[in-house]
Amino acid sequence: MSIEKRQHVHGMWAAVAAKWEEHADYVETRAGALNAALLEGAALRRTDRVLELACGPGGFGLLAARAAGHVVLSDVVPEMVEIAAKRAADHGVLNVTTKVLDLEEIDEPDDSFDAVISREGLMFAVEPQRAFAEIRRVLRPGGRLAASVWAERDRNPWLDIVMTAVSDLLGRPMPPPGMPGPFALADADRLRALATGAGFVDVRLTRVAVPLRAASVDEWWARTRGVAGPVAGIIATLPDDRRTALEGDIRTAAEAYVTADGIEFPGEALVLTAYGSEHDDD
Ligand SMILES: C[S@@+](CC[C@H](N)C(=O)[O-])C[C@H]1O[C@@H](n2cnc3c(N)ncnc32)[C@H](O)[C@@H]1O
């Protein structure tokens, strides 16, 4: 059953890879403060061999490569990995390689990385405890993890209003019970427990504001309906009349966030940093 769930999640992301490529630069602009917090937490050194998990188009890993020795950009979706490789080449970043890897079953040897980084990916694990165990396994003794996940749903209305509208339309919860989703690791206590349960030490959690701005509701919605992995496929396959009704509900909910300059939604991420084992503070 876990395999079927995992395949479903991976397929969902494969379907939106092209849209993630299209909006990759926007994603980096939005992630400015989050990138800074992750980089600070990762405390990368010039000699570090780093693994980025769930890299998507690779924006964060490419940034991290400026501070590290070598970064492996990885994602479970081959299309995402291809996009990351192309963007690395386009940006002239030479100290990265790419690899298709599942963060729940990391096909890398034990103790092979100085740091593991991941931005908005861990919550898509069907069995997150397995992901944390795998990350710790591939970290060398004293290696570091810096990862972010979305905070509570009510702190991220830019996605909550979409998932709520889809859920109301379908008459079932979104995501379906037992399936991972954007807010699956939003409970800070649970996130901390997953890390400590896997043996991580010096676990720290911070909250980072990640507002989402767009010039208009139209601009926001055009982007969101393409990249929102958990709902994009559902929306794309709705009959016209139901899609029109859904989009009307979403636009109405979005009106509450319209400003004089366009639209601005609040957003918040949890940044987790931890060490795989006791470490020197050098
Ligand atoms: C919200 S996107 C984030 C992409 C990128 N990290 C960023 O911040 O721009 C989530 C990513 O997680 C990837 N993903 C989902 N499940 C995964 C898994 N089990 N192993 C590795 N990557 C996974 C998806 O393919 C997608 O690229």
Side-chain angles (χ1 to χ4, degrees):
M1 190 53 188
S2 162
I3 294 276
E4 284 161 27
K5 286 184 185 172
R6 284 164 70 185
Q7 286 171 345
H8 175 80
V9 174
H10 306 169
M12 188 178 86
W13 285 106
V16 293
K19 286 289 177 189
W20 275 78
E21 179 174 24
E22 186 181 330
H23 298 297
D25 290 340
Y26 164 78
V27 168
E28 290 321 303
T29 305
R30 183 187 177 198
L34 187 52
N35 287 345
L38 283 165
L39 283 177
E40 189 185 336
L44 300 178
R45 289 172 280 216
R46 292 270 165 220
T47 50
D48 279 347
R49 183 170 145 74
V50 179
L51 173 63
E52 183 182 25
L53 294 169
C55 70
F60 179 57
L62 293 176
L63 186 65
R66 294 186 196 167
H70 185 90
V71 181
V72 177
L73 308 173
S74 79
D75 197 285
V76 77
V77 171
E79 293 90 332
M80 291 287 196
V81 173
E82 272 174 41
I83 293 165
K86 182 171 175 294
R87 294 185 75 239
D90 291 348
H91 287 77
V93 182
L94 301 177
N95 61 333
V96 300
T97 47
T98 54
K99 188 165 179 182
V100 175
L101 287 177
D102 185 342
L103 60 81
E104 289 188 68
E105 201 171 353
I106 303 173
D107 183 17
E108 289 284 343
D110 297 0
D111 302 341
S112 48
F113 293 95
D114 300 294
V116 170
I117 56 175
S118 190
R119 189 181 72 193
E120 318 306 17
L122 297 187
M123 60 281 212
F124 297 107
V126 173
E127 296 178 76
Q129 69 281 16
R130 185 172 164 158
F132 276 94
E134 277 292 86
I135 293 168
R136 183 156 178 261
R137 181 185 64 74
V138 300
L139 277 174
R140 67 157 175 78
R144 302 170 301 285
L145 167 63
S148 67
V149 297
W150 292 118
E152 295 85 345
R153 191 162 164 158
D154 62 0
R155 291 179 182 263
N156 289 284
W158 56 277
L159 189 52
D160 173 47
I161 64 168
V162 180
M163 294 180 73
T164 298
V166 173
S167 172
D168 289 349
L169 180 86
L170 299 181
R172 60 174 163 83
M174 275 297 301
M179 289 300 283
F183 304 113
L185 297 182
D187 179 333
D189 291 339
R190 177 168 179 243
L191 185 59
R192 180 185 293 280
L194 279 164
T196 52
F200 281 95
V201 298
D202 202 0
V203 178
R204 295 175 195 204
L205 280 176
T206 51
R207 291 180 180 270
V208 177
V210 194
L212 188 160
R213 301 185 182 93
S216 64
V217 175
D218 282 347
E219 183 190 294
W220 163 72
W221 178 239
R223 204 158 48 212
T224 300
R225 93 176 147 212
V227 299
V231 290
I234 296 172
I235 294 171
T237 52
L238 284 174
D240 285 349
D241 57 335
R242 297 192 87 199
R243 189 169 59 247
T244 303
L246 175 76
E247 293 191 332
D249 289 348
I250 291 170
R251 283 169 187 279
T252 302
E255 287 301 324
Y257 302 94
V258 169
T259 67
D261 301 321
I263 188 163
E264 177 170 340
F265 291 98
E268 192 175 282
L270 296 174
V271 172
L272 177 142
T273 58
Y275 285 79
S277 62
E278 293 305 331
H279 58 95
D280 298 328
D281 283 323
D282 54 352

